[in-house]
Amino acid sequence: MRNIFSVIFAVLIIALMICTYIARRTQKPMGRTVALFEAAFIPPVLGNLLIISSVSRTVSFIGCYLFFLGFDMVMFALINFTMKYCKGVGKGQKPPKFIYALLVIDAVQLLLNPLFGHAFKLERIMVDGMDYYRFIPLIGQSFHRIVDYGIFGAVLLIFILAIKNTPRIYSEKYLIILLSLIGEGIWQTFYIMSRTPIDTSMLGFGVLGILFFYFSLYYRPMKLLDRMLSGLVSEISDAVFMFDASGSCIWANKNGYALVGNDTLKLDDITDKLKAMFGNPDSYVESGSNQRVIGSGLDARYYTLEERRAIDNQKLSGTYLIVRDNTEEQQRLKREMYDATHDLMTGLYTREYLYQRIYETMSANPDTEYYIIYVDVKNFKVVNEIFGTKFGDDAIMYIANWIRKNVTAYCCYGRLAGDTFGVCMPKSQFNAEFLEDKLSHFTIKSELAENGYHLLIHLGVYATDTDDTKDISVMFDRAHLALSNIRDEYNTHIAYYDNEIREKLLWNQEISSQVYNAISTDQLRPYLQPIADKSGRIVGAEALVRWIHPDKGFLSPISFIPVFEKNGMIVEVDKHMWRCACEILSRWQKENIDLFISVNISPKDFYFVDVVAEIKKLVEEYSLEPSKLRIEITETVMMNDAENRMKLLDEFRKSGFIVEMDDFGSGYSSLNMLKDMPVDVVKIDMKFLGKTSEKQKARTIVKNIINLTKELGIISLTEGVETQEQYEVLEQMGCNLFQGYYFAKPMPVSDFEDFYDKLADNRTK
């Protein structure tokens, strides 16, 4: 019997050594802890092996020491294992240090037993006909048992708390360890109480070590996991179906049954039902298409299908299918897509999406010619101001619905901006006469305009051809440009982009690209038109820009000034003219020529530069008297932000400049502004006097304007004087200064200086 147990213990020791090695080599987090625990079991089992197999008192003593000290090692390893294995159960507390101190004290007192004989002694008995040395416990052994059993009990309590305080999926692993420890504890206690010669409980130590090894590193509570996963799958919102290798359905969750329409349906019938709904599974697995739509329109349901296959030993063991109902998500995406591509007010395409749809339409029909139509509502701001924004919104909706009703399915249309729309229509479907008639009577009725309000709508039309580059934004720009051809805007509602507009556009682009070079090479230069006083003496001049082009020769200002006014380049031209005027005045100052030069300030200048600072800087740079450089503005400068502009003009006057108002009488607000505007000179346009059929009334108005300026202390200057009669009449009215072809037309600076010298010489003779 002793030999049998000896062999068993030897095998257990080898098994524990193998477990120690494997645990030490594993990369799992518990590896090193389990390895220490496995190694701690070896000394007590080895000590028990020596006791059983030996007939020598000395060897038995050694076996007893290995046995008792090994127990302390087991308790130490058990503490360490429990701390790692039950991590997170408590609040992160570490074992009290006195426990380790007790183990150390116990080990020391056991080692002192040969000197004091206080822990245990051996007695010789006969087992299997041979000597067997059994230990007799003394007081030191009692201390040893109290320490080890106390630690053991504390560990059991920790595992009990772990089972109680953790979810079931985790508590099972604690329960297995707890039961193993309790079993070994009972077995060991039985041995102590029974005083049987051979400690068979050591078999439990070996088995316990192997169990710890397996359950700590490799065991998974599969049944519990299966139950929990089944519960989870049953509760998820997706429909889940499981199939065997032959494709027969073997399980479905409640949402799966709901999908196929009947929770009493047999599993054998589910496969056919799914095929009827979604087709053969191979069709969407192999093709990669996992999207399915059942129904159409508002009743359409959208599903995503996902199949996974379970492969065991390179063979198909089964599959599972997840069917997700994406109807709400797809409807939300459709709403978001609609909102992103459609105008929220009218429901028409947005500008960007309209461009995209037109491009796609033209690309799909390369042989078809289209009209790109720019729909513009004239004076729509006035409509809002008169009737309010509610009527304005109704008008926009009315126009949108009118477009819908008057186009075909082959057209694309959308809202470009606030009161502009865009349409792409095949040329063959465009009926100009029909549209002219409709637009001539385009009237909106509402509660705010009971008698109706006629909206003035213009259509700019650009004709595409098969050679177009499909830049849709450029096409609409050209259609928009066509509106500039409309002269009688109340009787003509449709305008076409033609070669004249194209040439004008190319011309605008050409001269705009050359403006900086023209300034740097003095192609843009000042021409001076004399200004005379009552006696006919030249007292100054107005600087007017002229372009002497190297290829095209003399360019009329009307051919480039409006272009630069529109694109903002007039600012660079004006700055150049200001500097040229200062250069001329500086030279005249050195030559004792006492004349002033008036320079023009464009409305755009105030938006792009600090006009006052810029001109003051030039005057300081050339050391000029500010009064020699007169500032000439038109009343249109004051139309926007009048209060701030008046402050700027006042700043000019305080700095010594003379401010002139040009074209007085040609605008509707001149008299109203005159009482507030800080100006020194008013320029009266002679065209105001010459174009009216009631010349006597016009002369009366001019005379009263001149008298008004006298009373206000403002100098009057009439421009456009072309005849001696006009000059004499204006002089009799009391006008102070004169400008026009009667005296001289605008001329180059050198010609002006010669002209001035000639007049001066004539006066001195």
Side-chain angles (χ1 to χ4, degrees):
M1 184 178 181
R2 293 173 67 177
N3 292 333
I4 293 173
F5 276 104
S6 296
V7 172
I8 293 174
F9 285 138
V11 172
L12 286 176
I13 290 172
I14 294 172
L16 289 171
M17 293 175 66
I18 293 173
C19 290
T20 301
Y21 176 78
I22 294 173
R24 184 69 177 80
R25 299 279 295 179
T26 186
Q27 300 297 318
K28 296 182 179 181
M30 286 290 296
R32 293 180 178 272
T33 301
V34 174
L36 175 63
F37 197 50
E38 297 299 311
F41 278 113
I42 295 174
V45 177
L46 178 59
N48 202 46
L49 174 61
L50 293 178
I51 294 171
I52 294 173
S53 61
S54 174
V55 295
S56 168
R57 177 181 291 273
T58 302
V59 174
S60 296
F61 255 115
I62 294 172
C64 286
Y65 279 111
L66 284 174
F67 181 79
F68 297 138
L69 293 172
F71 256 103
D72 287 340
M73 293 177 62
V74 170
M75 291 301 108
F76 175 82
L78 183 60
I79 293 171
N80 187 54
F81 174 85
T82 303
M83 184 174 63
K84 297 284 187 181
Y85 197 67
C86 298
K87 184 178 181 182
V89 172
K91 298 181 180 180
Q93 307 96 322
K94 292 184 178 181
K97 293 183 179 180
F98 75 85
I99 294 179
Y100 297 110
L102 288 175
L103 288 174
V104 172
I105 292 171
D106 184 51
V108 171
Q109 65 94 12
L110 288 172
L111 289 172
L112 294 177
N113 185 63
L115 297 178
F116 302 104
H118 63 287
F120 65 90
K121 63 182 180 178
L122 299 180
E123 64 174 351
R124 185 166 64 89
I125 61 175
M126 298 297 292
V127 177
D128 292 342
M130 293 183 292
D131 290 344
Y132 182 85
Y133 291 93
R134 180 176 62 181
F135 74 91
I136 299 174
L138 301 175
I139 188 171
Q141 182 64 19
S142 298
F143 177 79
H144 169 72
R145 289 175 178 173
I146 291 171
V147 171
D148 287 355
Y149 271 96
I151 294 173
F152 187 76
V155 169
L156 293 180
L157 181 60
I158 292 173
F159 274 94
I160 291 172
L161 292 174
I163 294 170
K164 180 181 178 182
N165 297 331
T166 56
R168 188 176 177 186
I169 190 172
Y170 298 110
S171 65
E172 185 170 331
K173 69 175 185 177
Y174 298 133
L175 179 61
I176 293 171
I177 299 296
L178 175 65
L179 293 177
S180 300
L181 289 172
I182 292 174
E184 175 57 25
I186 293 173
W187 196 349
Q188 178 67 24
T189 303
F190 173 78
Y191 162 72
I192 294 174
M193 300 298 294
S194 65
R195 294 291 293 161
T196 55
I198 298 177
D199 188 358
T200 56
S201 69
M202 285 296 99
L203 294 174
F205 264 51
V207 173
L208 185 64
I210 296 172
L211 288 175
F212 270 56
F213 171 79
Y214 172 72
F215 284 110
S216 300
L217 300 180
Y218 297 102
Y219 173 73
R220 294 179 63 215
M222 295 302 297
K223 289 185 178 180
L224 179 59
L225 286 173
D226 289 343
R227 289 198 302 272
M228 294 187 67
L229 289 174
S230 177
L232 289 171
V233 172
S234 296
E235 295 301 323
I236 65 175
S237 60
D238 299 334
V240 181
F241 305 90
M242 295 186 180
F243 305 88
D244 60 18
S246 65
S248 298
C249 184
I250 57 176
W251 185 86
N253 66 351
K254 62 180 182 181
N255 290 316
Y257 279 106
L259 177 66
V260 295
N262 193 339
D263 58 2
T264 62
L265 197 67
K266 293 181 180 180
L267 288 172
D268 294 340
D269 298 329
I270 287 181
T271 302
D272 294 335
K273 187 70 174 177
L274 289 172
K275 287 181 180 179
M277 293 177 66
F278 303 116
N280 193 308
D282 291 338
S283 67
Y284 53 80
V285 173
E286 294 177 0
S287 67
S289 174
N290 61 352
Q291 302 294 327
R292 290 292 185 273
V293 181
I294 298 178
S296 60
L298 297 176
D299 296 326
R301 306 293 299 181
Y302 299 84
Y303 298 95
T304 300
L305 280 64
E306 180 181 358
E307 187 187 59
R308 291 289 182 267
R309 299 185 175 187
I311 305 297
D312 184 17
N313 197 22
Q314 298 184 345
K315 293 182 179 180
L316 178 67
S317 60
T319 61
Y320 67 87
L321 175 67
I322 299 175
V323 181
R324 181 173 295 110
D325 188 338
N326 288 330
T327 302
E328 290 187 7
E329 180 181 353
Q330 289 296 323
Q331 290 175 344
R332 178 181 58 79
L333 290 174
K334 285 180 178 291
R335 287 194 300 270
E336 291 178 354
M337 178 63 71
Y338 182 88
D339 291 343
T341 57
H342 290 72
D343 177 60
L344 296 180
M345 178 187 292
T346 63
L348 303 184
Y349 290 153
T350 60
R351 179 178 58 188
E352 292 76 13
Y353 192 59
L354 175 63
Y355 288 177
Q356 178 183 330
R357 292 291 295 119
I358 294 174
Y359 180 86
E360 292 169 355
T361 300
M362 289 184 173
S363 299
N365 303 279
D367 297 328
T368 303
E369 295 183 347
Y370 292 89
Y371 275 143
I372 297 296
I373 305 169
Y374 186 95
V375 183
D376 180 50
V377 184
K378 303 297 290 184
N379 302 321
F380 190 73
K381 291 182 179 179
V382 176
V383 175
N384 277 328
E385 290 175 1
I386 295 174
F387 298 106
T389 56
K390 175 62 171 61
F391 181 82
D393 293 344
D394 291 343
I396 292 295
M397 284 298 301
Y398 188 89
I399 297 169
N401 291 329
W402 180 80
I403 292 174
R404 283 191 183 96
K405 293 177 182 178
N406 290 277
V407 297
T408 68
Y410 300 98
C411 301
C412 299
Y413 50 93
R415 187 181 183 190
L416 301 178
D419 59 351
T420 58
F421 300 83
V423 180
C424 173
M425 176 181 291
K427 283 186 180 180
S428 59
Q429 297 179 4
F430 186 80
N431 188 334
E433 293 182 4
F434 170 80
L435 291 172
E436 277 285 3
D437 180 65
K438 288 291 184 180
L439 294 175
S440 297
H441 306 90
F442 201 95
T443 303
I444 297 178
K445 292 183 179 180
S446 75
E447 297 177 356
L448 299 172
E450 295 180 0
N451 297 323
Y453 183 85
H454 175 69
L455 279 181
L456 183 59
I457 298 177
H458 290 161
L459 306 183
V461 181
Y462 170 75
T464 70
D465 55 51
T466 55
D467 296 329
D468 269 316
T469 59
K470 305 296 189 297
D471 190 337
I472 309 302
S473 64
V474 172
M475 296 180 187
F476 272 107
D477 287 342
R478 292 175 179 176
H480 188 197
L481 284 171
L483 297 178
S484 63
N485 274 355
I486 295 179
R487 298 292 179 261
D488 184 2
E489 61 181 23
Y490 288 97
N491 293 315
T492 303
H493 300 89
I494 302 175
Y496 299 86
Y497 180 86
D498 54 21
N499 286 332
E500 181 182 346
I501 296 177
R502 182 175 181 275
E503 293 299 326
K504 182 179 178 182
L505 179 63
L506 293 174
W507 168 254
N508 293 348
Q509 293 175 341
E510 180 181 358
I511 61 172
S512 295
S513 65
Q514 297 178 11
V515 64
Y516 291 105
N517 181 62
I519 290 173
S520 63
T521 57
D522 286 332
Q523 296 175 34
L524 282 171
R525 62 187 65 169
Y527 269 43
L528 300 179
Q529 185 172 25
I531 296 174
D533 61 10
K534 289 183 178 182
S535 64
R537 183 172 63 89
I538 303 302
V539 293
E542 180 180 2
L544 301 169
V545 64
R546 297 293 185 266
W547 191 338
I548 312 302
H549 197 280
D551 299 323
K552 304 181 185 301
F554 181 86
L555 297 180
S556 171
I558 195 65
S559 66
F560 61 89
I561 291 296
V563 178
F564 296 158
E565 286 278 6
K566 187 174 181 179
N567 63 24
M569 287 185 172
I570 192 66
V571 177
E572 300 301 323
V573 175
D574 284 348
K575 287 167 63 177
H576 175 63
M577 294 301 295
W578 301 341
R579 178 170 289 277
C580 289
C582 289
E583 290 175 350
I584 296 168
L585 287 171
S586 177
R587 181 162 50 79
W588 286 355
Q589 184 174 272
K590 295 174 183 177
E591 297 173 2
N592 295 318
I593 299 175
D594 186 20
L595 298 174
F596 65 82
I597 295 179
S598 298
V599 292
N600 289 284
I601 307 294
S602 168
K604 288 285 182 71
D605 294 335
F606 290 96
Y607 291 105
F608 294 99
V609 295
D610 185 342
V611 176
V612 177
E614 188 80 17
I615 292 179
K616 287 174 66 175
K617 181 181 177 182
L618 286 171
V619 169
E620 292 174 2
E621 180 182 344
Y622 288 95
S623 302
L624 301 176
E625 294 181 19
S627 61
K628 296 300 182 183
L629 184 69
R630 296 193 174 186
I631 308 302
E632 184 172 311
I633 63 164
T634 61
E635 67 176 73
T636 54
V637 170
M638 311 304 297
M639 297 304 293
N640 295 314
D641 196 14
E643 183 178 352
N644 188 49
R645 300 287 166 79
M646 287 184 182
K647 290 180 180 178
L648 295 177
L649 297 183
D650 192 53
E651 187 176 348
F652 267 125
R653 297 182 72 210
K654 289 178 179 178
S655 300
F657 293 92
I658 292 176
V659 178
E660 302 176 348
M661 178 192 281
D662 194 12
D663 293 338
F664 185 81
S666 61
Y668 67 88
S669 60
S670 298
L671 287 174
N672 183 49
M673 286 189 173
L674 189 59
K675 63 183 177 63
D676 299 317
M677 286 182 60
V679 296
D680 303 287
V681 178
V682 168
K683 297 184 73 172
I684 304 168
D685 192 346
M686 196 62 193
K687 295 176 183 177
F688 173 74
L689 181 62
K691 283 190 175 181
T692 177
S693 60
E694 299 289 343
K695 291 188 177 182
Q696 187 58 45
K697 290 183 179 180
R699 290 187 179 187
T700 302
I701 293 173
V702 171
K703 181 178 180 180
N704 280 281
I705 291 175
I706 293 172
N707 291 334
L708 178 63
T709 59
K710 287 181 181 179
E711 293 182 10
L712 293 174
I714 299 174
I715 297 172
S716 57
L717 187 160
T718 304
E719 59 182 340
V721 179
E722 297 182 353
T723 66
Q724 183 175 358
E725 179 188 359
Q726 291 174 343
Y727 167 64
E728 291 175 351
V729 169
L730 290 167
E731 194 274 334
Q732 291 173 6
M733 290 180 181
C735 185
N736 304 110
L737 299 174
F738 308 88
Q739 178 181 347
Y741 277 24
Y742 172 69
F743 299 97
K745 64 180 181 180
M747 60 188 77
V749 176
S750 59
D751 292 353
F752 174 85
E753 291 172 345
D754 292 341
F755 174 77
Y756 173 76
D757 291 340
K758 184 178 179 181
L759 289 180
D761 290 343
N762 290 337
R763 283 183 173 276
T764 57
K765 289 181 179 179

